[in-house]
Amino acid sequence: MNHRQTLAIIGSGPSCIYVLNHLLEGVGTFRESLAGIEIFEKRRSAGMGMPYHPETTERWNMSNISSEELPALAVSFADWLRGLNARHLEDLGIVPGEISASEVYSRIALGEYLHSQYQAMIAGLSAAGISVRERTNCKIVDVCEEDDRVTLVEDTGARFSCDRVVLATGHYWPEKDRPDSGYYTSPWPIAKLLPPPGTTFNFPIGTLGASLSAFDVVSSLAHRHGTFEKTAGGLRYCPHLGTEDFRIVMHSADGLLPHLQYSQAEPLRDIERHVSEEELLALCDEKGFLRLATFFDRVGRRVLTEAFRKDEMPELVAQLEDADFGLEDFAAKMTAEHDYADAFEGMRSEMREAVQSVDQHRPIHWKEVLDDLMYTLNFYAELMPAEDHLTLRGKFLPFLMNVIAALPLISGRMLLALHDAGKLEIVTGKVTVAEAGEGATTTTVEIDADRDKSEISYRVFVDCSGQGALELEDFPFPSVSAAGGVRPARAAFVDPKTADDWPEEKRKMTFEEQGRRYFPIGGVDIDRHYRLIGRDGRPSRRISDIAFPHTSGVRPYSYGLQACNDTARLLVAGWAAELAESASD
């Protein structure tokens, strides 16, 4: 290599922070090859990330992750909090002297922490001779790969040149809000959903989904329409006068609420905890496919059996020891075990187990192991065939996402208090948002619950169903698409005839390329080290993509900040391998 390279990172949230951290950890490798890093952030301040930024969230929104679950940075979250003065802690809603590594704090507090670590990463890299420059209020709208350089284009027309770029743009919602009819495509920024200061909403508000982000909406609105009081059994909600008709209705296809926070023996996920990369690759069949059933039988069955044994659940141990009890049987069994006629009463009964688990540091091993297994599979999902991607998404992920969502106990207590006060309910059924006519002042949703159809109109309705994989036409850097530098993520079929029996909607999505039949799994294609794969099937040597909405087809299970860390680690490891290869040529 004749010159030291420049790296551009578009986006300065957690993915960027963990890339910086791994570069700093490997500074001996990169010092001679990396001259500088340019970080582009569209907001006024960098180093937080959208879910934790004061422009998008507020103190009543919980981060849903504790200090002990955060991948290591220079200082732990809990130790950083302990270093703040009492006034600062009070501003963050934290009681001085009661800070715990297992406690969950607000998104705002976590954002300030991440910003402090981001600054520490920059200082460390600069001290090692790698310059870092921040460009805030800078929105990059295009990326052009030209010869041996990459050019970034700002919305002002300004252009920046670099040797390689990492796309770390985070969440992206291409649809626009329709505030005139009260429809919002996401909860962010949360301020857009709040009543003007000194006023309240005295009417029902709807959410699509009963997700963790839906609870941010619930929490922010609840605190502006009443107060929570501690009781011997939990919390009681006391509505303000004039809010008699205020309530929140969460629409959930299956009528499920997430499970609650629990103690873990190993709070940090590890891709190779239960199976090494070498062992996992050896499970692939002669065509190179990793089958879900094989992964379950050869890895999952063993570790889940041990977990249920530790949790003293002999019925599940016996079923798992039966070779005829397969993955789909297991998913159906566990779904039925946690399918409550009343979701709130189900949460109330689970609250006792969750409190005992957290207070007595008693792990719930099967939930933790199930999470481990899915985390591992996530980083090898490109090896699965189309048939198994459909099984994973249709029969396993819906159950899994609810079981291991780990809603903080305080959030669970708030939901129960609001429900007991008649201010929160959940409606089961698939929801379709009706087209809003000209001049509409409400949003109408059509509900299909086992063919029992109904309609409800809301003055405020918020889509909290989460970030889906973007379509290729929504890829935000048009020159990359135009040059063939990106293609839709896809999975090949083990048996191409399988798709002939699929519903027409899915069958029409399949396509053939170079004699193989594929199903588009969403998002854009990447290799193991997150390099974009172009139309020619080759990975880019200059453009890497770690934005979850772009890559969630290939990486279908997002585990928040822990996934950000491992994603960054794999990306940096891939770059280090490239440098070593170049040096040996």
Side-chain angles (χ1 to χ4, degrees):
M1 183 176 300
N2 297 321
H3 75 285
R4 296 172 72 204
Q5 297 187 9
T6 54
L7 168 69
I9 304 177
I10 305 176
S12 69
S15 293
C16 168
I17 294 169
Y18 282 107
V19 168
L20 297 177
N21 189 47
H22 285 290
L23 287 172
L24 183 58
E25 288 178 346
V27 73
T29 298
F30 295 103
R31 181 186 286 114
E32 300 303 318
S33 58
L34 181 58
I37 302 171
E38 301 265 351
I39 300 172
F40 297 85
E41 171 55 56
K42 64 183 179 182
R43 294 188 173 85
R44 291 192 302 270
S45 54
M48 296 181 193
M50 187 282 295
Y52 315 108
H53 202 288
E55 292 180 18
T56 55
T57 189
E58 64 153 0
R59 63 174 294 186
W60 300 119
N61 300 156
M62 302 303 290
S63 64
N64 304 314
I65 187 169
S66 64
S67 179
E68 64 187 2
E69 296 174 278
L70 284 168
L73 292 171
V75 178
S76 75
F77 187 21
D79 284 344
W80 179 81
L81 287 171
R82 294 184 184 106
L84 301 182
N85 61 47
R87 177 64 179 273
H88 195 167
L89 289 171
E90 289 167 2
D91 288 343
L92 294 173
I94 299 171
V95 178
E98 296 184 9
I99 295 165
S100 167
S102 61
E103 188 60 66
V104 173
Y105 298 104
S106 70
R107 292 183 186 270
I108 287 289
L110 183 53
E112 287 195 22
Y113 163 73
L114 289 172
H115 181 68
S116 73
Q117 301 309 291
Y118 167 78
Q119 291 178 314
M121 299 304 131
I122 290 176
L125 288 164
S126 299
I130 300 174
S131 68
V132 182
R133 180 174 179 178
E134 295 177 276
R135 296 182 184 272
T136 55
N137 287 317
C138 187
K139 184 178 181 180
I140 299 300
V141 296
D142 206 0
V143 174
C144 311
E145 193 168 1
E146 302 166 339
D147 299 324
D148 60 348
R149 300 286 285 175
V150 181
T151 299
L152 279 53
V153 183
E154 191 184 358
D155 57 357
T156 62
R159 300 169 77 86
F160 308 90
S161 181
C162 61
D163 291 288
R164 61 172 66 216
V165 60
V166 174
L167 311 180
T169 49
H171 295 278
Y172 169 70
W173 285 275
E175 295 184 34
K176 301 297 183 183
D177 293 337
R178 302 195 293 271
D180 290 346
S181 61
Y183 178 70
Y184 297 91
T185 59
S186 82
W188 316 116
I190 199 74
K192 70 185 180 185
L193 306 177
L194 306 180
T199 68
T200 55
F201 294 144
N202 197 25
F203 51 80
I205 291 168
T207 71
L208 177 56
S211 62
L212 297 178
S213 59
F215 303 147
D216 287 334
V217 175
V218 170
S219 178
S220 288
L221 290 175
H223 280 92
R224 285 163 174 82
H225 292 79
T227 57
F228 290 93
E229 296 181 354
K230 288 185 178 181
T231 67
L235 292 175
R236 177 174 60 244
Y237 185 68
C238 304
H240 292 328
L241 292 175
T243 63
E244 290 77 13
D245 293 326
F246 164 76
R247 72 180 192 281
I248 300 172
V249 182
M250 299 185 297
H251 290 267
S252 167
D254 299 312
L256 299 174
L257 288 169
H259 284 221
L260 296 165
Q261 175 188 4
Y262 59 95
S263 182
Q264 302 179 61
E266 299 283 353
L268 289 172
R269 301 281 78 84
D270 182 346
I271 298 173
E272 297 192 33
R273 173 163 290 138
H274 301 296
V275 58
S276 70
E277 180 172 359
E278 181 181 6
E279 292 169 330
L280 189 140
L281 293 176
L283 298 179
C284 294
D285 64 19
E286 66 279 0
K287 294 182 179 180
F289 289 119
L290 176 63
R291 302 306 307 266
L292 266 177
T294 302
F295 181 74
F296 179 75
D297 284 336
R298 301 284 293 277
V299 182
R301 192 183 299 275
R302 167 178 52 83
V303 296
L304 282 167
T305 298
E306 181 59 26
F308 282 116
R309 187 172 285 115
K310 289 179 180 178
D311 291 329
E312 299 180 357
M313 300 173 71
E315 180 186 356
L316 267 300
V317 171
Q319 287 180 306
L320 284 166
E321 288 177 340
D322 180 355
D324 292 331
F325 184 75
L327 174 64
E328 293 188 27
D329 299 314
F330 174 73
K333 168 71 175 178
M334 299 311 293
T335 298
E337 290 274 335
H338 300 88
D339 185 12
Y340 303 106
D342 184 312
F344 290 99
E345 290 310 307
M347 176 173 281
R348 203 183 308 276
S349 67
E350 285 188 3
M351 180 66 75
R352 292 186 287 273
E353 180 188 36
V355 169
Q356 185 180 59
S357 172
V358 173
D359 288 352
Q360 298 179 17
H361 302 291
R362 181 181 298 176
I364 301 178
H365 296 93
W366 75 265
K367 290 185 180 181
E368 183 177 339
V369 163
L370 192 59
D371 202 2
D372 277 339
L373 292 170
M374 189 61 233
Y375 192 73
T376 295
L377 189 63
N378 175 68
F379 287 96
Y380 294 95
E382 69 272 18
L383 300 175
M384 295 195 308
E387 294 93 333
D388 286 355
H389 273 276
L390 268 292
T391 298
L392 180 71
R393 287 167 166 79
K395 298 183 179 180
F396 202 61
L397 275 181
F399 148 74
L400 186 74
M401 295 303 289
N402 280 284
V403 167
I404 53 184
L407 182 71
L409 298 185
I410 183 60
S411 298
R413 292 186 177 106
M414 287 170 53
L415 294 181
L416 292 175
L418 287 164
H419 180 66
D420 291 343
K423 297 299 182 182
L424 181 65
E425 62 181 287
I426 189 167
V427 172
T428 302
K430 184 178 179 180
V431 167
T432 302
V433 178
E435 287 290 330
E438 187 175 350
T441 58
T442 62
T443 292
T444 299
V445 298
E446 301 166 351
I447 307 156
D448 186 348
D450 292 331
R451 300 183 181 179
D452 181 13
K453 298 185 178 181
S454 59
E455 290 187 353
I456 304 178
S457 292
Y458 292 99
R459 290 168 63 179
V460 175
F461 186 79
V462 189
D463 188 337
C464 300
S465 58
Q467 179 74 76
L470 90 171
E471 300 295 331
L472 186 61
E473 55 265 29
D474 292 321
F475 188 73
F477 306 109
S479 291
V480 179
S481 300
V486 62
R487 71 180 187 181
R490 75 280 305 278
F493 287 87
V494 172
D495 180 0
K497 295 180 181 179
T498 301
D500 295 339
D501 297 325
W502 284 5
E504 183 180 2
E505 177 187 359
K506 284 188 167 51
R507 189 170 63 250
K508 289 169 63 177
M509 296 169 66
T510 67
F511 63 95
E512 289 195 13
E513 195 171 282
Q514 296 182 340
R516 300 189 75 182
R517 194 173 188 180
Y518 293 93
F519 182 77
I521 53 178
V524 301
D525 217 0
I526 54 170
D527 73 359
R528 177 141 181 80
H529 295 294
Y530 292 84
R531 299 180 298 179
L532 278 181
I533 296 178
R535 282 201 299 264
D536 60 3
R538 297 178 180 177
S540 171
R541 294 183 67 87
R542 299 193 179 279
I543 306 176
S544 301
D545 196 336
I546 55 175
F548 175 71
H550 302 178
T551 63
S552 58
V554 182
R555 297 283 176 262
Y557 178 56
S558 171
Y559 196 80
L561 298 179
Q562 294 193 21
C564 289
N565 175 57
D566 273 319
T567 295
R569 179 180 59 79
L570 289 168
L571 182 151
V572 171
W575 189 8
E578 286 179 42
L579 293 173
E581 182 181 345
S582 297
S584 64
D585 289 343

PDB file of all heavy atoms in Angstrom, residues 333-357:
ATOM      1  N   LYS A 333     -45.284 -25.261  20.921  1.00  0.00           N
ATOM      2  CA  LYS A 333     -45.437 -25.536  22.350  1.00  0.00           C
ATOM      3  C   LYS A 333     -45.217 -24.286  23.189  1.00  0.00           C
ATOM      4  O   LYS A 333     -46.031 -23.953  24.063  1.00  0.00           O
ATOM      5  CB  LYS A 333     -44.435 -26.624  22.756  1.00  0.00           C
ATOM      6  CG  LYS A 333     -44.240 -26.835  24.256  1.00  0.00           C
ATOM      7  CD  LYS A 333     -45.432 -27.488  24.899  1.00  0.00           C
ATOM      8  CE  LYS A 333     -45.159 -27.806  26.367  1.00  0.00           C
ATOM      9  NZ  LYS A 333     -46.338 -28.399  27.023  1.00  0.00           N
ATOM     10  N   MET A 334     -44.132 -23.555  22.921  1.00  0.00           N
ATOM     11  CA  MET A 334     -43.814 -22.392  23.733  1.00  0.00           C
ATOM     12  C   MET A 334     -44.772 -21.235  23.453  1.00  0.00           C
ATOM     13  O   MET A 334     -45.087 -20.436  24.347  1.00  0.00           O
ATOM     14  CB  MET A 334     -42.367 -21.954  23.483  1.00  0.00           C
ATOM     15  CG  MET A 334     -41.334 -23.019  23.845  1.00  0.00           C
ATOM     16  SD  MET A 334     -41.567 -23.743  25.502  1.00  0.00           S
ATOM     17  CE  MET A 334     -41.188 -22.328  26.541  1.00  0.00           C
ATOM     18  N   THR A 335     -45.258 -21.137  22.217  1.00  0.00           N
ATOM     19  CA  THR A 335     -46.262 -20.112  21.909  1.00  0.00           C
ATOM     20  C   THR A 335     -47.527 -20.387  22.702  1.00  0.00           C
ATOM     21  O   THR A 335     -48.113 -19.465  23.297  1.00  0.00           O
ATOM     22  CB  THR A 335     -46.571 -20.102  20.405  1.00  0.00           C
ATOM     23  OG1 THR A 335     -45.384 -19.773  19.685  1.00  0.00           O
ATOM     24  CG2 THR A 335     -47.646 -19.068  20.078  1.00  0.00           C
ATOM     25  N   ALA A 336     -47.971 -21.644  22.720  1.00  0.00           N
ATOM     26  CA  ALA A 336     -49.184 -21.998  23.462  1.00  0.00           C
ATOM     27  C   ALA A 336     -49.013 -21.752  24.957  1.00  0.00           C
ATOM     28  O   ALA A 336     -49.951 -21.314  25.638  1.00  0.00           O
ATOM     29  CB  ALA A 336     -49.539 -23.467  23.203  1.00  0.00           C
ATOM     30  N   GLU A 337     -47.801 -21.999  25.475  1.00  0.00           N
ATOM     31  CA  GLU A 337     -47.531 -21.807  26.904  1.00  0.00           C
ATOM     32  C   GLU A 337     -47.680 -20.335  27.304  1.00  0.00           C
ATOM     33  O   GLU A 337     -47.955 -20.027  28.456  1.00  0.00           O
ATOM     34  CB  GLU A 337     -46.109 -22.275  27.230  1.00  0.00           C
ATOM     35  CG  GLU A 337     -45.897 -23.769  27.150  1.00  0.00           C
ATOM     36  CD  GLU A 337     -46.255 -24.468  28.453  1.00  0.00           C
ATOM     37  OE1 GLU A 337     -46.209 -23.816  29.517  1.00  0.00           O
ATOM     38  OE2 GLU A 337     -46.583 -25.664  28.384  1.00  0.00           O
ATOM     39  N   HIS A 338     -47.463 -19.435  26.339  1.00  0.00           N
ATOM     40  CA  HIS A 338     -47.462 -18.008  26.657  1.00  0.00           C
ATOM     41  C   HIS A 338     -48.527 -17.248  25.885  1.00  0.00           C
ATOM     42  O   HIS A 338     -48.429 -16.035  25.698  1.00  0.00           O
ATOM     43  CB  HIS A 338     -46.072 -17.426  26.378  1.00  0.00           C
ATOM     44  CG  HIS A 338     -44.993 -18.069  27.189  1.00  0.00           C
ATOM     45  ND1 HIS A 338     -44.325 -19.211  26.773  1.00  0.00           N
ATOM     46  CD2 HIS A 338     -44.488 -17.764  28.410  1.00  0.00           C
ATOM     47  CE1 HIS A 338     -43.457 -19.563  27.696  1.00  0.00           C
ATOM     48  NE2 HIS A 338     -43.525 -18.711  28.695  1.00  0.00           N
ATOM     49  N   ASP A 339     -49.553 -17.967  25.434  1.00  0.00           N
ATOM     50  CA  ASP A 339     -50.673 -17.348  24.719  1.00  0.00           C
ATOM     51  C   ASP A 339     -51.813 -17.149  25.711  1.00  0.00           C
ATOM     52  O   ASP A 339     -52.590 -18.059  25.978  1.00  0.00           O
ATOM     53  CB  ASP A 339     -51.103 -18.258  23.558  1.00  0.00           C
ATOM     54  CG  ASP A 339     -52.180 -17.600  22.702  1.00  0.00           C
ATOM     55  OD1 ASP A 339     -52.414 -16.390  22.880  1.00  0.00           O
ATOM     56  OD2 ASP A 339     -52.789 -18.304  21.880  1.00  0.00           O
ATOM     57  N   TYR A 340     -51.879 -15.939  26.270  1.00  0.00           N
ATOM     58  CA  TYR A 340     -52.855 -15.665  27.319  1.00  0.00           C
ATOM     59  C   TYR A 340     -54.150 -15.102  26.718  1.00  0.00           C
ATOM     60  O   TYR A 340     -54.118 -14.314  25.767  1.00  0.00           O
ATOM     61  CB  TYR A 340     -52.293 -14.656  28.311  1.00  0.00           C
ATOM     62  CG  TYR A 340     -50.995 -15.094  28.947  1.00  0.00           C
ATOM     63  CD1 TYR A 340     -49.791 -14.518  28.571  1.00  0.00           C
ATOM     64  CD2 TYR A 340     -50.973 -16.097  29.909  1.00  0.00           C
ATOM     65  CE1 TYR A 340     -48.592 -14.917  29.146  1.00  0.00           C
ATOM     66  CE2 TYR A 340     -49.778 -16.501  30.492  1.00  0.00           C
ATOM     67  CZ  TYR A 340     -48.593 -15.910  30.100  1.00  0.00           C
ATOM     68  OH  TYR A 340     -47.414 -16.308  30.668  1.00  0.00           O
ATOM     69  N   ALA A 341     -55.282 -15.514  27.299  1.00  0.00           N
ATOM     70  CA  ALA A 341     -56.566 -14.969  26.856  1.00  0.00           C
ATOM     71  C   ALA A 341     -56.614 -13.467  27.087  1.00  0.00           C
ATOM     72  O   ALA A 341     -57.214 -12.722  26.310  1.00  0.00           O
ATOM     73  CB  ALA A 341     -57.712 -15.667  27.598  1.00  0.00           C
ATOM     74  N   ASP A 342     -55.968 -13.011  28.145  1.00  0.00           N
ATOM     75  CA  ASP A 342     -55.879 -11.583  28.462  1.00  0.00           C
ATOM     76  C   ASP A 342     -54.402 -11.248  28.627  1.00  0.00           C
ATOM     77  O   ASP A 342     -53.751 -11.720  29.568  1.00  0.00           O
ATOM     78  CB  ASP A 342     -56.643 -11.280  29.752  1.00  0.00           C
ATOM     79  CG  ASP A 342     -56.668  -9.792  30.092  1.00  0.00           C
ATOM     80  OD1 ASP A 342     -55.592  -9.149  30.048  1.00  0.00           O
ATOM     81  OD2 ASP A 342     -57.753  -9.272  30.399  1.00  0.00           O
ATOM     82  N   ALA A 343     -53.870 -10.465  27.699  1.00  0.00           N
ATOM     83  CA  ALA A 343     -52.434 -10.178  27.702  1.00  0.00           C
ATOM     84  C   ALA A 343     -51.989  -9.486  28.981  1.00  0.00           C
ATOM     85  O   ALA A 343     -50.889  -9.739  29.486  1.00  0.00           O
ATOM     86  CB  ALA A 343     -52.076  -9.321  26.489  1.00  0.00           C
ATOM     87  N   PHE A 344     -52.816  -8.615  29.522  1.00  0.00           N
ATOM     88  CA  PHE A 344     -52.427  -7.889  30.741  1.00  0.00           C
ATOM     89  C   PHE A 344     -52.417  -8.809  31.950  1.00  0.00           C
ATOM     90  O   PHE A 344     -51.541  -8.697  32.821  1.00  0.00           O
ATOM     91  CB  PHE A 344     -53.352  -6.699  30.963  1.00  0.00           C
ATOM     92  CG  PHE A 344     -53.157  -5.596  29.967  1.00  0.00           C
ATOM     93  CD1 PHE A 344     -54.008  -5.478  28.877  1.00  0.00           C
ATOM     94  CD2 PHE A 344     -52.108  -4.706  30.089  1.00  0.00           C
ATOM     95  CE1 PHE A 344     -53.824  -4.471  27.933  1.00  0.00           C
ATOM     96  CE2 PHE A 344     -51.910  -3.698  29.155  1.00  0.00           C
ATOM     97  CZ  PHE A 344     -52.776  -3.589  28.063  1.00  0.00           C
ATOM     98  N   GLU A 345     -53.378  -9.729  32.018  1.00  0.00           N
ATOM     99  CA  GLU A 345     -53.366 -10.684  33.122  1.00  0.00           C
ATOM    100  C   GLU A 345     -52.180 -11.644  32.984  1.00  0.00           C
ATOM    101  O   GLU A 345     -51.593 -12.072  33.974  1.00  0.00           O
ATOM    102  CB  GLU A 345     -54.686 -11.460  33.178  1.00  0.00           C
ATOM    103  CG  GLU A 345     -55.868 -10.598  33.611  1.00  0.00           C
ATOM    104  CD  GLU A 345     -55.592  -9.806  34.880  1.00  0.00           C
ATOM    105  OE1 GLU A 345     -55.176 -10.431  35.890  1.00  0.00           O
ATOM    106  OE2 GLU A 345     -55.771  -8.576  34.863  1.00  0.00           O
ATOM    107  N   GLY A 346     -51.821 -11.957  31.743  1.00  0.00           N
ATOM    108  CA  GLY A 346     -50.625 -12.758  31.523  1.00  0.00           C
ATOM    109  C   GLY A 346     -49.384 -12.047  32.020  1.00  0.00           C
ATOM    110  O   GLY A 346     -48.519 -12.651  32.667  1.00  0.00           O
ATOM    111  N   MET A 347     -49.279 -10.736  31.723  1.00  0.00           N
ATOM    112  CA  MET A 347     -48.139  -9.968  32.217  1.00  0.00           C
ATOM    113  C   MET A 347     -48.149  -9.900  33.737  1.00  0.00           C
ATOM    114  O   MET A 347     -47.098  -9.989  34.385  1.00  0.00           O
ATOM    115  CB  MET A 347     -48.167  -8.546  31.637  1.00  0.00           C
ATOM    116  CG  MET A 347     -47.065  -7.648  32.167  1.00  0.00           C
ATOM    117  SD  MET A 347     -46.972  -6.048  31.343  1.00  0.00           S
ATOM    118  CE  MET A 347     -46.125  -6.501  29.823  1.00  0.00           C
ATOM    119  N   ARG A 348     -49.336  -9.780  34.322  1.00  0.00           N
ATOM    120  CA  ARG A 348     -49.421  -9.706  35.786  1.00  0.00           C
ATOM    121  C   ARG A 348     -48.922 -11.000  36.426  1.00  0.00           C
ATOM    122  O   ARG A 348     -48.201 -10.966  37.430  1.00  0.00           O
ATOM    123  CB  ARG A 348     -50.873  -9.448  36.209  1.00  0.00           C
ATOM    124  CG  ARG A 348     -51.001  -8.820  37.603  1.00  0.00           C
ATOM    125  CD  ARG A 348     -52.466  -8.664  38.003  1.00  0.00           C
ATOM    126  NE  ARG A 348     -53.255  -7.977  37.012  1.00  0.00           N
ATOM    127  CZ  ARG A 348     -53.349  -6.641  36.912  1.00  0.00           C
ATOM    128  NH1 ARG A 348     -52.664  -5.876  37.727  1.00  0.00           N
ATOM    129  NH2 ARG A 348     -54.120  -6.103  35.993  1.00  0.00           N
ATOM    130  N   SER A 349     -49.262 -12.124  35.825  1.00  0.00           N
ATOM    131  CA  SER A 349     -48.806 -13.395  36.398  1.00  0.00           C
ATOM    132  C   SER A 349     -47.301 -13.570  36.180  1.00  0.00           C
ATOM    133  O   SER A 349     -46.607 -14.120  37.043  1.00  0.00           O
ATOM    134  CB  SER A 349     -49.580 -14.559  35.773  1.00  0.00           C
ATOM    135  OG  SER A 349     -49.271 -14.707  34.402  1.00  0.00           O
ATOM    136  N   GLU A 350     -46.787 -13.114  35.046  1.00  0.00           N
ATOM    137  CA  GLU A 350     -45.353 -13.222  34.780  1.00  0.00           C
ATOM    138  C   GLU A 350     -44.542 -12.248  35.633  1.00  0.00           C
ATOM    139  O   GLU A 350     -43.346 -12.467  35.844  1.00  0.00           O
ATOM    140  CB  GLU A 350     -45.078 -12.971  33.302  1.00  0.00           C
ATOM    141  CG  GLU A 350     -45.474 -14.135  32.421  1.00  0.00           C
ATOM    142  CD  GLU A 350     -45.013 -13.960  30.985  1.00  0.00           C
ATOM    143  OE1 GLU A 350     -44.341 -12.946  30.702  1.00  0.00           O
ATOM    144  OE2 GLU A 350     -45.315 -14.831  30.161  1.00  0.00           O
ATOM    145  N   MET A 351     -45.185 -11.179  36.098  1.00  0.00           N
ATOM    146  CA  MET A 351     -44.476 -10.182  36.892  1.00  0.00           C
ATOM    147  C   MET A 351     -43.873 -10.812  38.146  1.00  0.00           C
ATOM    148  O   MET A 351     -42.750 -10.485  38.542  1.00  0.00           O
ATOM    149  CB  MET A 351     -45.419  -9.034  37.271  1.00  0.00           C
ATOM    150  CG  MET A 351     -44.783  -7.935  38.096  1.00  0.00           C
ATOM    151  SD  MET A 351     -43.501  -6.992  37.225  1.00  0.00           S
ATOM    152  CE  MET A 351     -44.523  -5.977  36.148  1.00  0.00           C
ATOM    153  N   ARG A 352     -44.589 -11.741  38.745  1.00  0.00           N
ATOM    154  CA  ARG A 352     -44.084 -12.365  39.970  1.00  0.00           C
ATOM    155  C   ARG A 352     -42.788 -13.124  39.696  1.00  0.00           C
ATOM    156  O   ARG A 352     -41.816 -13.024  40.448  1.00  0.00           O
ATOM    157  CB  ARG A 352     -45.153 -13.302  40.557  1.00  0.00           C
ATOM    158  CG  ARG A 352     -46.376 -12.577  41.105  1.00  0.00           C
ATOM    159  CD  ARG A 352     -47.328 -13.531  41.795  1.00  0.00           C
ATOM    160  NE  ARG A 352     -48.036 -14.361  40.828  1.00  0.00           N
ATOM    161  CZ  ARG A 352     -49.175 -14.010  40.222  1.00  0.00           C
ATOM    162  NH1 ARG A 352     -49.722 -12.827  40.467  1.00  0.00           N
ATOM    163  NH2 ARG A 352     -49.780 -14.825  39.367  1.00  0.00           N
ATOM    164  N   GLU A 353     -42.759 -13.902  38.614  1.00  0.00           N
ATOM    165  CA  GLU A 353     -41.551 -14.652  38.254  1.00  0.00           C
ATOM    166  C   GLU A 353     -40.422 -13.702  37.885  1.00  0.00           C
ATOM    167  O   GLU A 353     -39.271 -13.907  38.272  1.00  0.00           O
ATOM    168  CB  GLU A 353     -41.845 -15.574  37.070  1.00  0.00           C
ATOM    169  CG  GLU A 353     -40.637 -16.386  36.622  1.00  0.00           C
ATOM    170  CD  GLU A 353     -40.876 -17.151  35.326  1.00  0.00           C
ATOM    171  OE1 GLU A 353     -41.572 -16.626  34.438  1.00  0.00           O
ATOM    172  OE2 GLU A 353     -40.324 -18.258  35.200  1.00  0.00           O
ATOM    173  N   ALA A 354     -40.752 -12.626  37.154  1.00  0.00           N
ATOM    174  CA  ALA A 354     -39.727 -11.682  36.711  1.00  0.00           C
ATOM    175  C   ALA A 354     -39.103 -10.944  37.895  1.00  0.00           C
ATOM    176  O   ALA A 354     -37.884 -10.763  37.957  1.00  0.00           O
ATOM    177  CB  ALA A 354     -40.326 -10.682  35.723  1.00  0.00           C
ATOM    178  N   VAL A 355     -39.920 -10.508  38.826  1.00  0.00           N
ATOM    179  CA  VAL A 355     -39.411  -9.798  40.010  1.00  0.00           C
ATOM    180  C   VAL A 355     -38.501 -10.719  40.811  1.00  0.00           C
ATOM    181  O   VAL A 355     -37.420 -10.316  41.260  1.00  0.00           O
ATOM    182  CB  VAL A 355     -40.577  -9.286  40.876  1.00  0.00           C
ATOM    183  CG1 VAL A 355     -40.066  -8.799  42.231  1.00  0.00           C
ATOM    184  CG2 VAL A 355     -41.324  -8.166  40.154  1.00  0.00           C
ATOM    185  N   GLN A 356     -38.932 -11.949  40.996  1.00  0.00           N
ATOM    186  CA  GLN A 356     -38.108 -12.918  41.731  1.00  0.00           C
ATOM    187  C   GLN A 356     -36.783 -13.152  41.021  1.00  0.00           C
ATOM    188  O   GLN A 356     -35.719 -13.208  41.646  1.00  0.00           O
ATOM    189  CB  GLN A 356     -38.877 -14.229  41.884  1.00  0.00           C
ATOM    190  CG  GLN A 356     -38.165 -15.265  42.735  1.00  0.00           C
ATOM    191  CD  GLN A 356     -38.964 -16.547  42.843  1.00  0.00           C
ATOM    192  OE1 GLN A 356     -39.272 -17.192  41.839  1.00  0.00           O
ATOM    193  NE2 GLN A 356     -39.316 -16.922  44.070  1.00  0.00           N
ATOM    194  N   SER A 357     -36.833 -13.267  39.688  1.00  0.00           N
ATOM    195  CA  SER A 357     -35.617 -13.499  38.910  1.00  0.00           C
ATOM    196  C   SER A 357     -34.636 -12.346  39.070  1.00  0.00           C
ATOM    197  O   SER A 357     -33.446 -12.555  39.322  1.00  0.00           O
ATOM    198  CB  SER A 357     -35.965 -13.682  37.427  1.00  0.00           C
ATOM    199  OG  SER A 357     -34.803 -13.723  36.629  1.00  0.00           O
TER     200      SER A 357
END
